Amino acid sequence: MSGLLPSEGNVDAGGEGTPRVHWLDDDETEQLIGCLSCDTARDILSSLHDSPATAKELSETVDTSIQNARHHLGNLVDADLVRIAGTRYSEKGREMKVYGPTDGPLVVCVGGNEGNREDFADAISSFLE
């Protein structure tokens, strides 16, 4: 049965994307910081920067349950830090999602007034590109 379905699947490793600049008082930033407040979520994100992986592979890498890995992956996807990069098939023929980090650097800024934020974000983006 191992030869019938591709176990490697098609995975988009991604490349360098556009830098994202967030401000500490933005709603998106609150969600981002909230999901990264847990060691397990940070370990999962770090692991995905090394190599795309399934929830099962990540649970083994970071030594947690698959349910916990899926919970944190859902939060990381919602915060736009992780994306579904492709699919693989298990030995039993089940389709599994393969996760990878979203492309591009992320910067969280503190302070600044509303009028300067867009210029500041443009300057940071051009520096990181």
Side-chain angles (χ1 to χ4, degrees):
M1 169 126 168
S2 64
L4 296 177
L5 297 172
S7 61
E8 291 303 310
N10 187 14
V11 177
D12 174 18
E16 286 299 315
T18 304
R20 295 184 299 157
V21 178
H22 289 277
W23 297 91
L24 191 59
D25 57 359
D26 290 343
D27 290 337
E28 284 182 48
T29 307
E30 183 179 343
Q31 181 183 22
L32 179 122
I33 291 173
C35 85
L36 291 176
S37 65
C38 179
D39 290 340
T40 303
R42 291 192 306 272
D43 291 345
I44 286 171
L45 184 58
S46 294
S47 178
L48 289 174
H49 275 280
D50 294 337
S51 175
T54 65
K56 182 176 186 325
E57 293 165 342
L58 288 165
S59 71
E60 293 167 358
T61 300
V62 302
D63 194 28
T64 190
S65 69
I66 192 166
Q67 293 85 359
N68 196 34
R70 285 185 179 140
H71 167 76
H72 289 294
L73 283 166
N75 290 341
L76 291 164
V77 167
D78 290 346
D80 200 26
L81 293 169
V82 169
R83 63 190 173 81
I84 297 171
T87 57
R88 290 188 191 145
Y89 291 91
S90 71
E91 291 178 2
K92 294 180 180 180
R94 293 189 182 114
E95 187 175 85
M96 302 180 298
K97 295 175 185 173
V98 178
Y99 296 90
T102 54
D103 297 334
L106 172 71
V107 177
V108 176
C109 301
V110 179
N113 61 37
E114 293 292 327
N116 296 352
R117 287 185 175 191
E118 189 172 328
D119 292 338
F120 188 72
D122 289 342
I124 289 175
S125 292
S126 65
F127 175 74
L128 294 174
E129 289 179 340

